[in-house]
Amino acid sequence: MTIEITQPSLLVVEGREEELFFGALIKHLGLQHIQVMGVGGKTNLRRNLKALTLSPRFAQVISLGVVRDANNNPGAAFQSVRDALHAVNLPAPERALMPAGDSPQVFVMILPGEGSPGMLEDLCLRAVVQDPAMLCVERYFECLQQEDLSLPDNMSKARVQVFLASRRKARLRLGVAAQAGYWPWDKKAFEQVRNFLQQIGA
């Protein structure tokens, strides 16, 4: 697999929704030289990093960021990224958000951040916790329980979907919603991600 590199800074994310989400935030921040690449799931990270290093223009890359979800174990998620970086002879940071190496300088972020379990959806929910619609979101799931109905397997994804159903254009997925301006980028919840992207794109 050949990956075309078009910018000096690369951001590697899990999938299409993350591509759209981070692309929207990068545009909001006015960062001009970050290329976002989805790898089609965390299990494909090592293979796609290898493809990146084999790209004819990889020598021109000055910074590389890797983002993945913590899921249930932030430590294991971070170690998994480190292992993938080591496997393709790229610098592997000792800690999340701390750079390693030079040309490229490598950064890793595990979402939702601060060593917490969870995923991108949890980060987005933190940003809208004070939105009036969130009260209705919680009441919806309370109603399901009161009616003795099964709750979704992934409550974070389900809460995001219900929240987005409250917007003017309903039925948008997380990434498309980001491009539509439905996530409040200036909230403190996104501060760590904003700083991370500014480091990569500096």
Side-chain angles (χ1 to χ4, degrees), residues 3 16 18 23 31 44 86 137 162 175 189-190 194:
I3 296 177
R16 182 60 178 161
E18 289 83 359
L31 300 172
N44 294 320
H86 278 307
V137 171
V162 175
F190 289 130
R194 293 195 303 266

Side-chain angles (χ1 to χ4, degrees), residues 105-125:
Q105 192 173 44
V106 178
F107 301 81
V108 176
M109 183 172 193
I110 306 299
L111 299 175
E114 300 175 351
S116 301
M119 56 188 64
L120 176 58
E121 283 81 359
D122 293 294
L123 180 63
C124 292
L125 290 169

Side-chain angles (χ1 to χ4, degrees), residues 18-161:
E18 289 83 359
E19 270 191 74
L20 295 171
F21 174 88
F22 281 99
L25 179 49
I26 287 166
K27 182 178 180 180
H28 171 79
L29 294 172
L31 300 172
Q32 301 294 320
H33 303 295
I34 302 178
Q35 180 179 355
V36 186
M37 297 181 175
V39 296
K42 54 185 175 287
T43 57
N44 294 320
L45 177 60
R46 184 175 303 194
R47 183 176 71 231
N48 282 275
L49 284 177
K50 182 65 173 177
L52 270 181
T53 63
L54 295 175
S55 172
R57 296 193 64 189
F58 187 73
Q60 300 174 35
V61 174
I62 59 174
S63 60
L64 170 67
V66 181
V67 177
R68 68 155 283 182
D69 290 337
N71 299 124
N72 295 324
N73 191 329
F78 178 65
Q79 188 59 49
S80 174
V81 175
R82 277 176 50 84
D83 291 346
L85 290 165
H86 278 307
V88 296
N89 298 312
L90 285 172
E94 293 294 326
R95 290 192 299 153
L97 306 177
M98 298 295 292
D102 185 42
S103 294
Q105 192 173 44
V106 178
F107 301 81
V108 176
M109 183 172 193
I110 306 299
L111 299 175
E114 300 175 351
S116 301
M119 56 188 64
L120 176 58
E121 283 81 359
D122 293 294
L123 180 63
C124 292
L125 290 169
R126 290 178 186 178
V128 297
V129 68
Q130 294 182 328
D131 190 292
M134 285 304 296
L135 179 61
C136 303
V137 171
E138 295 310 317
R139 284 176 176 169
Y140 169 75
F141 291 108
E142 289 170 5
C143 178
L144 292 182
Q145 290 180 299
Q146 289 168 3
E147 297 298 324
D148 201 26
L149 297 171
S150 298
L151 293 175
D153 292 335
N154 190 317
M155 286 297 294
S156 298
K157 288 183 180 294
R159 283 190 170 95
V160 164
Q161 288 176 359

